[in-house]
Amino acid sequence: MRSFRRLILAFLLGAGVATVNPAARVMAAADPAEQTQKPTLKPVSATAPDIPFNYEAQAENELLQLANSARHQAGAPTLTLDPGLSQAARVHAQAMLEAHQLSHQFNGEASLPQRLAATTELQLDQEGENVAVDYTAHDGHEHLMLSPPHRANLLNPAYNVIGLGVVHGGDRLYIVQDFGHALPSYSSTEWKDRIAVAVNQTRHQASQPDLQRHDLTIADEAACSMAQADKLGTASVHKLAERFTVLSYTSLHPETLPNGAARAISDRNLHNFSVGTCYAHTNTYPTGVYWVVLTLE
């Protein structure tokens, strides 16, 4: 009879899933209980150096092993545990315990991308979250794997890092799994170099000679003006456009130029170009993004 009770808890009361990506930051709740009005909780700082509550490290480790075992069987890459993501997951698990309810975001709490950005130095281009309540870590994993949206997060081959938070509430465990796809860490110089390679590869594909690169300080300043304004096409960019052909965009992948860039870059009358970049966390991009200004002449 107890196993039946656990199954009911996991699927009717005990599980929720969310997935996020930069193109469409949309939360999806799998549990009808999560569709109700968000309760308000006392704000908890995700950036606090010391977490003021007890978390279940053994249960978290068990969930990590179970997740990676399932991923191995499915042919998905191993998840690496990130301390920053785990800090965010633990704070959120405590928030669910205090509210006695599962949710991906309570009133007064930051969104998932904002919570993760506040606690990790990783550059993420995808995020996802599972939340659940169960009696043991093993039961929690089994029930999450039986739910298609939660299973999809657990086995998503795009994810390569995870944070885990588990706290005790009576005889139950409040569980949070925060997933992400961490990008390679490049310096600003490396970012510019990779963009420059992409520019001249585009020239080669158009059978045009390489452009000479002469980076301009004003291109960096224009990129940072966009970051500060959290929008493209600032006054600084328009001023540059009086002298150059200008391409401005945001990116997490330096090797990939924006749609429509090839036509401008392939112009046979061009001779020089400049790469300006500025990395920043903004309201639109809470986990951080590069703002890029390419000048062509």
Side-chain angles (χ1 to χ4, degrees):
M1 189 69 181
R2 178 164 181 157
S3 62
F4 177 75
R5 182 185 173 208
R6 287 178 179 171
L7 192 63
I8 292 296
L9 281 170
F11 288 97
L12 297 186
L13 299 177
V17 62
T19 57
V20 185
N21 61 65
R25 295 193 175 279
V26 178
M27 296 290 185
D31 184 349
E34 293 184 79
Q35 308 290 342
T36 59
Q37 182 177 1
K38 297 176 184 176
T40 300
L41 81 158
K42 182 179 179 181
V44 180
S45 173
T47 58
D50 297 313
I51 298 175
F53 52 84
N54 295 321
Y55 56 88
E56 298 294 327
Q58 183 175 347
E60 292 173 1
N61 184 63
E62 184 177 354
L63 284 167
L64 176 63
Q65 301 304 319
L66 289 167
N68 277 330
S69 176
R71 290 174 68 86
H72 177 73
Q73 294 177 21
T78 298
L79 294 171
T80 299
L81 186 68
D82 177 67
L85 298 186
S86 288
Q87 183 176 351
R90 290 166 179 167
V91 171
H92 188 63
Q94 178 69 13
M96 294 196 306
L97 170 62
E98 293 175 0
H100 302 291
Q101 182 175 337
L102 299 183
S103 177
H104 292 295
Q105 183 181 9
F106 294 101
N107 287 336
E109 184 182 37
S111 66
L112 174 61
Q114 292 169 329
R115 296 199 309 268
L116 301 188
T119 59
T120 184
E121 296 182 357
L122 298 176
Q123 173 65 71
L124 305 175
D125 65 350
Q126 294 184 50
E127 304 93 24
E129 182 174 78
N130 286 346
V131 299
V133 61
D134 218 309
Y135 292 99
T136 69
H138 185 271
D139 289 340
H141 173 77
E142 285 192 340
H143 294 150
L144 288 169
M145 287 292 287
L146 288 172
S147 168
H150 302 90
R151 180 186 178 92
N153 266 348
L154 277 162
L155 302 184
N156 188 336
Y159 293 145
N160 55 11
V161 290
I162 189 173
L164 292 160
V166 180
V167 297
H168 242 124
D171 63 345
R172 301 181 189 178
L173 297 177
Y174 283 82
I175 299 168
V176 176
Q177 299 171 323
D178 285 338
F179 305 92
H181 177 251
L183 297 169
S185 179
Y186 299 129
S187 68
S188 178
T189 298
E190 290 172 325
W191 249 83
K192 289 185 177 184
D193 290 344
R194 287 174 177 270
I195 292 173
V197 169
V199 168
N200 278 322
Q201 284 179 341
T202 301
R203 295 283 294 181
H204 294 166
Q205 292 169 2
S207 300
Q208 296 296 331
D210 286 356
L211 298 178
Q212 295 300 309
R213 177 181 165 190
H214 302 286
D215 286 348
L216 305 173
T217 301
I218 54 175
D220 286 320
E221 293 171 349
C224 286
S225 76
M226 296 192 304
Q228 291 167 2
D230 197 12
K231 68 176 184 179
L232 301 174
T234 59
S236 296
V237 175
H238 289 305
K239 187 174 182 179
L240 274 179
E242 296 174 0
R243 297 173 50 192
F244 310 98
T245 297
V246 176
L247 302 177
S248 61
Y249 61 100
T250 58
S251 178
L252 291 172
H253 304 275
E255 300 86 357
T256 303
L257 298 174
N259 292 334
R263 182 176 180 180
I265 293 171
S266 301
D267 188 332
R268 65 181 181 180
N269 295 314
L270 296 177
H271 302 286
N272 305 302
F273 76 109
S274 170
V275 183
T277 64
C278 189
Y279 180 80
H281 296 265
T282 69
N283 289 333
T284 304
Y285 301 96
T287 56
V289 75
Y290 269 91
W291 299 77
V292 183
V293 170
L294 284 178
T295 67
L296 307 168
E297 63 174 336

